[in-house]
Amino acid sequence: MTIRKERGTAAEDAAVEHVRALGYELLGRNVRVGRLEIDIVARDGEVIAVIEVRTRGSTAWQNAFDSVDFRKQARVRRAAQILWSRRFSKLPGVERVRFDVARVNLDAADGPAVEYVRAAFI
């Protein structure tokens, strides 16, 4: 496993712990929809949270939140639309989808630090 892949997995692990601590029900990780992928899918009451996980090293030029540009948002939206029509619209009590972003700092002194933004984009 490459260092980049290891860091990505560690960031997703930290994000999963974070959303579980918020009381979300984990529905899936690295959910494939054809060639598209969603990092984390969780249920927050009546909402399906589609969560993009980002991390950057200390020498990165771009902020992790800024890396979720319009192209990435469009891919995540498309994958969520497909999942909604195939699966999540049929779940009882589920009303909508929300797009969240988790920024994970793996270099924090006391372990991974997660900054979480609900409804980060529409």
Side-chain angles (χ1 to χ4, degrees), residues 31-106:
V31 178
R32 301 290 305 180
V33 182
R35 292 177 29 190
L36 304 169
E37 181 182 73
I38 298 174
D39 293 334
I40 299 171
V41 179
R43 185 169 179 172
D44 178 19
E46 63 191 27
V47 177
I48 297 297
V50 172
I51 305 162
E52 180 66 20
V53 179
R54 294 301 218 194
T55 188
R56 291 288 183 267
S58 58
T59 60
W61 287 82
Q62 186 179 40
N63 177 300
F65 285 130
D66 293 338
S67 71
V68 185
D69 62 11
F70 71 95
R71 286 185 278 300
K72 182 61 178 179
Q73 290 175 24
R75 286 191 301 271
V76 171
R77 267 195 302 277
R78 179 69 186 133
Q81 287 171 339
I82 294 167
L83 281 177
W84 177 260
S85 66
R86 290 182 184 168
R87 182 173 163 195
F88 297 125
S89 65
K90 297 164 182 63
L91 288 176
V94 172
E95 295 183 7
R96 62 187 171 91
V97 172
R98 183 181 71 219
F99 300 99
D100 299 351
V101 177
R103 177 173 69 179
V104 182
N105 179 357
L106 296 172

Side-chain angles (χ1 to χ4, degrees), residues 3-13 29 53 55 106:
I3 292 173
R4 182 175 184 211
K5 180 72 174 160
E6 287 176 8
R7 287 183 62 85
T9 299
E12 286 179 2
D13 290 345
R29 276 182 75 165
V53 179
T55 188
L106 296 172

